[in-house]
Structure formats: structure tokens, C-alpha cells
């Protein structure tokens, strides 16, 4: 065929560069050429990003968003054109006006030992991460009120410590879905790990292994699912976070494969029938990566929806309670609904037969003005206790957990454990595995001290009498300062302009 290479030949950069338009479109990924002329029409991230790199090496942009097996899985073999002689390819770096200053900031960043708590990692990550990666990880929906409320809700809960209890030996280990863990937190599912670190989610796997905590593997990981499972040690427990695909055959395949690979929990995300509107993310360079989920949204849909939208057009917005029996029928893994936000749905989850819920608003990235997970927990537990249902399912909370005291408050109120997201992403992005390791160790040190100071030596001694939650439902949210107004009316300097 015209485009077929004799075995030993490699394409030159010049030859690939000829295929640089809508009618004839090749890209180079990891030193190989791919004909994406037809595929670009159905690319979930929209076709503009592909055309932007038509005829060029797209590896750097491609890498953080796509697991390594993406092209083998989704691009017909006949479109895999073969090897490219990369010496002949003109490397085109995506111009980033901030890159020079960022490299300077990296040289001046604090050493790891100067990070004393999880918020320190956020402060460092903000300075040293690429803007697009920082935007994706740090963004919340709309005015980010819920994202801030998630953390400040813990500041409305005060302790009622007890005294004169023997707290010489502290044991804060517990079990989660039957797995023994060192400390009651798990690494929650957060997409696109390679935006923050070239190795991606496997860094979190190694940190989780070292501290004997569970990692929840995201559907939208940068690493492939099998890479993440292979990075785990024998006996290391992982869970799967599932975005349900409109095509249930794909979903069934994913579930069965996860079970076969040893996952010990299926966390179905139920708070994201469509990914939230995260404006920091939308402003970053992904703004040219509109996705076909907007196409279905009709002409006037805003296409600059950032990375989130670019990778989530497959999610099924029709998912509903009637689907749950099917999930219970296709797997033996315990099923947990992630993103439950009111007691009525916890009752329904128990009645429909799932094994747990995560009280969560997706880190404030979905519905703004959703209540914090911890506030919902305070609503849920008294109702379950009234029915003597408190042991019918395991209840987790995530969102805004930054201190061991946050964890202790959640456990006092009846949570089995908490999920932690951004802190480990920021620790990984700033310092790699040593950062994640230190972040987890800091939480263990804080846990030991605070359990001692609250007067408990074991997790099962934590109970509602040890906290005062009277202030919890007071949403004395200061009127949000108009950050959008301050920035959005500035003449948006086009980075390309700045470079001239
Ligand atoms: C920070 C972050 C969170 C994401 C996340 C990506 C990032 C960068 N992504 S998202 O791209 O779709 O929004 C996921 C995801 O893949 N699936 C999911 O169930 N939750 C996702 N979450 C939510 C996460 O599982 C927790 O609910 C949330 O992070 C907890 O809040 P903290 O970050 O404050 O700990």
C-alpha cells in the first residue's frame, strides 16, 4: 500500500510532516507515526488538539492524558504507520511563557524536610508545577465554594478530649472492606497522574505500599490499569474507581478484569454524570481540547472545557438506581457508591444492597454549594443509629482532609475511614515518591500525637461524644471575593504575544 514502509525503512520527519491537514493527518507518538485522519473525528478530546499536532511529534501533549495502551486499544492496526527517524523530526515545544521562571522557582524550592504538613506540599506544588497541571489538580467547580468548605467544615468541629486514660501505646490501625490498614485513610482516585509527575499513578502505588494503605485506581489514570496493578507488591490491596461507560459491555469488561487482577473494592462514582465546570482548568492550555461531549451539548456549548471534559465524554449520565442490581450481578467485589451527598441516598444504598458509600462532593469539583462530606456524615449517622443500621455498610468520607485531626473527627462521627486526594498529588508533583512517603508519614506522626491528646489508644474508642459539631451546619461562608471578576476582565495576554 502507498503508505506502507519496507521493513527496515523509517519515516523521515519531512515525510510525516506532509500529512498535516484535515484530509490527511498523521501524528508521531513515542517515535512512531499514526494515521489519525479518520480517528480524529471521534476523538473524545475533540479534533482540534489532533490537528494542532498534525504532521508533528505530539508525544509531550499526549503522554499525561492517555494510558500507554490507548493506541493499541483504540486505533486500528492499519493506521499504525511504523517507526520514525526521530533525528529528522523538528521538535516543536509547546511554548510556555512561564517555563523559564518555573525552572528558576524549582531551583529555589524548599527541601522536602521543610514540609511539615500536607498544606506545605500544596504551597510548593503551586510554585513548581506546570500551570496546566496545577490548574487541573487545584481546580474546583464554579466559585470553588464547596472546595473551600470541604476543608473549613473541619474547623467547625471541636474536640471534647478525655483525660487520665492510658495512652502510652497507640494503635491507629483499622480495617477497610476487610483489609487491615496501618491508618484510616486511603489514596482516593484522582485522574491524570502524569500531569504532575512523568511516572504518574505508580508513584502513589509505591507510597501506598510503603505505608500499608489502600490505593483507589482511577478510571481516568494516565498509567494503564495493569501498569498500576503490576506496580503493587504481592498482597497489596487496591480498589477500582469506576466511571460507568454508556457502553455497558466496556464497563463489564473493566469490572471483570479488575476483579481478575485482584481488586478488592468497586467504587462507582455517582456524583459526576457530567464532569464539573472547573474554570482554572478551562483557562489553562487544555482550552483547545474541547471534547465531543460538547458536540452533543449543541452549538452554543462552550468548547473550552479543559482537560476534564476532554477525557470524560464516555461517562453515562443515564446511570440510575435501577442499574445497581446489574453491577451486583457482574462482580463479587464489594460495591461502594462514591459521591453520596444526603442521608436519603445512604438509606437507599443500604436497601439496594451495596456494601458502602463515600460521602463526597468530588473534592468540590462537581456541584458547587454541595455540602462537605463531613457535614453529611453528621447528618447520616444519627439516622442510621436510630434504625440500628450503623453497621449495615461501611461509610467513608473524602474532601478537604489535610490533618490527622480531620481524620479523627470523621471517625468520631462514625466514618470507617477517609479518602485523601490533592495532598498526595501535590506531594508527588513536587517531590515524587519521597514526597508521597513524607506526606503519609506526617499523617501517621500527627495521628499518634492527636490520638494521645484526645485520650484514645485505639480507633474503636473514638465516638461522637468526643466532638462538638454544633457549628457544623453554619455556612457562614464569606461572600466569595470576585476572583473571576478580577482576572477575567484583564486583557488576557496571549502567551504567544508575550513571547514576541
Ligand atoms: C483532585 C482531583 C480529584 C478527583 C479527580 C481529579 C483530581 C485532580 N478526578 S476527576 O478528574 O474526574 O475529577 C476523579 C476521578 O477521576 N474519579 C473520581 O471518582 N473522583 C475524582 N476526583 C475526586 C477525588 O476522588 C476525591 O473525591 C477528592 O479529591 C477528595 O478531595 P481532596 O482532593 O480535597 O482530598
Amino acid at each position: 500500500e502507498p503508505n506502507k514502509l519496507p521493513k527496515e525503512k523509517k519515516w523521515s520527519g519531512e515525510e510525516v510532516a506532509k500529512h498535516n491537514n484535515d484530509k490527511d493527518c498523521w501524528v508521531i507518538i513515542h517515535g512512531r507515526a499514526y494515521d489519525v485522519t479518520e480517528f480524529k473525528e471521534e476523538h473524545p478530546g475533540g479534533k482540534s488538539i489532533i490537528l494542532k499536532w498534525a504532521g508533528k511529534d505530539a508525544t509531550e501533549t499526549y503522554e499525561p492524558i492517555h494510558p500507554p495502551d490507548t493506541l493499541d486499544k483504540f486505533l486500528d492496526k492499519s493506521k499504525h504507520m511504523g517507526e520514525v527517524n526521530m533525528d529528522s523530526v523538528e521538535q516543536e515545544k509547546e511554548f510556555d511563557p512561564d517555563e523559564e521562571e518555573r525552572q528558576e522557582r524549582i531551583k529555589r524550592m524548599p527541601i522536602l524536610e521543610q514540609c511539615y504538613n500536607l498544606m506545605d506540599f500544596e504551597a510548593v506544588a503551586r510554585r513548581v508545577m506546570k500551570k496546566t497541571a496545577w490548574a487541573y489538580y487545584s481546580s474546583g467547580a464554579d466559585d470553588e465554594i464547596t472546595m473551600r468548605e470541604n476543608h473549613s467544615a473541619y474547623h467547625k468541629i471541636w474536640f471534647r478530649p478525655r483525660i487520665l486514660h492510658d495512652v502510652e501505646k497507640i494503635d491507629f490501625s483499622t480495617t477497610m472492606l476487610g483489609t487491615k490498614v496501618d491508618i484510616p485513610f486511603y489514596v482516593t482516585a484522582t485522574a491524570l497522574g502524569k500531569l504532575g509527575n512523568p511516572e504518574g499513578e505508580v508513584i502513589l502505588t509505591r507510597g501506598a505500599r510503603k505505608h500499608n494503605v489502600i490505593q483507589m485506581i482511577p478510571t481516568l489514570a494516565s498509567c494503564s490499569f495493569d501498569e498500576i496493578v503490576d506496580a503493587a507488591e504481592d498482597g497489596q490491596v487496591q480498589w477500582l474507581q469506576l466511571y460507568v461507560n454508556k457502553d455497558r459491555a466496556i464497563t463489564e469488561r473493566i469490572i471483570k478484569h479488575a476483579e481478575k487482577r485482584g481488586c478488592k473494592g468497586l467504587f462507582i462514582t455517582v456524583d459526576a454524570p457530567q464532569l464539573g465546570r472547573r474554570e482554572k482548568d478551562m483557562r489553562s492550555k487544555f482550552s483547545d481540547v474541547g471534547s465531543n461531549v460538547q458536540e452533543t451539548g449543541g452549538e452554543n456549548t462552550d468548547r473550552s472545557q479543559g482537560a476534564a471534559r476532554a477525557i470524560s465524554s464516555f461517562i453515562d449520565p443515564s446511570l440510575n438506581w435501577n442499574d445497581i442490581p446489574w453491577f451486583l450481578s457482574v462482580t463479587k467485589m464489594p460495591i461502594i457508591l462514591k459521591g453520596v451527598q444526603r442521608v436519603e441516598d445512604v438509606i437507599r444504598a443500604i436497601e439496594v444492597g451495596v456494601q458502602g458509600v463515600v460521602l463526597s462532593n468530588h473534592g468540590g469539583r462537581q456541584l458547587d454549594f454541595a455540602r462537605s462530606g463531613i457535614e453529611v456524615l453528621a447528618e447520616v449517622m444519627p439516622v442510621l443509629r436510630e434504625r440500628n443500621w450503623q453497621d449495615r455498610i461501611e461509610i467513608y468520607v473524602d474532601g478537604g482532609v489535610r490533618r490527622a485531626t480531620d481524620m479523627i473527627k470523621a471517625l468520631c462521627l462514625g466514618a470507617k475511614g477517609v479518602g485523601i486526594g490533592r495532598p498526595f498529588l501535590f506531594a508527588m508533583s513536587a517531590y515524587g515518591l519521597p514526597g508521597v512517603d513524607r506526606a503519609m508519614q506526617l499523617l501517621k506522626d500527627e495521628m499518634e500525637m492527636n490520638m494521645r491528646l484526645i485520650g484514645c489508644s485505639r480507633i474503636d474508642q473514638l465516638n461522637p461524644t468526643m466532638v462538638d459539631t454544633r457549628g457544623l451546619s453554619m455556612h457562614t461562608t464569606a461572600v466569595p471575593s470576585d476572583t473571576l471578576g478580577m482576572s477575567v476582565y484583564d486583557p488576557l495576554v496571549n502567551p504567544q504575544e508575550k513571547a514576541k
Side-chain angles (χ1 to χ4, degrees), residues 133 135-139 147 150-151 186-192 195 216 218-221 241-243 267-272 275-276 278 308 311-312 315 338 358 360-366 397-402 419-423 425-426:
Y136 188 64
Y137 288 173
S138 64
S139 52
M147 184 170 82
N150 278 347
H151 185 49
Y186 58 84
V187 181
T188 189
T190 53
L192 302 185
L195 277 181
M216 190 191 294
T219 299
L220 295 175
Q241 172 271 325
L242 182 74
Y243 273 134
F267 285 65
I268 302 175
T269 297
V270 294
D271 60 7
L275 286 199
R278 302 137 190 195
I311 56 175
S312 59
I315 295 173
K338 176 177 184 288
V358 183
S360 168
N361 51 50
H362 213 102
R365 296 163 69 82
Q366 290 300 110
V397 171
D398 77 20
V401 174
R402 300 294 181 265
I420 299 178
R422 291 182 183 86
L425 284 177
F426 294 143

Side-chain angles (χ1 to χ4, degrees), residues 131-201:
K131 278 211 172 347
T132 47
W134 166 256
Y136 188 64
Y137 288 173
S138 64
S139 52
D142 296 1
D143 294 322
E144 302 188 331
I145 305 284
T146 289
M147 184 170 82
R148 294 193 291 273
E149 169 69 10
N150 278 347
H151 185 49
S152 62
Y154 283 98
H155 303 160
K156 300 176 203 166
I157 301 174
W158 295 79
F159 284 125
R160 302 178 68 251
R162 60 185 196 177
I163 48 141
L164 293 178
H165 282 260
D166 174 358
V167 286
E168 187 183 359
K169 286 197 184 46
I170 305 288
D171 171 8
F172 45 73
S173 66
T174 185
T175 62
M176 291 186 183
L177 298 180
T179 299
K180 194 156 175 1
V181 293
D182 279 8
I183 180 170
F185 72 74
Y186 58 84
V187 181
T188 189
T190 53
L192 302 185
K194 284 188 182 174
L195 277 181
N197 183 296
E199 284 192 82
E201 288 82 3

Side-chain angles (χ1 to χ4, degrees), residues 76 88 185 329 455 460:
D76 186 90
S88 67
F185 72 74
S329 73
D460 58 10

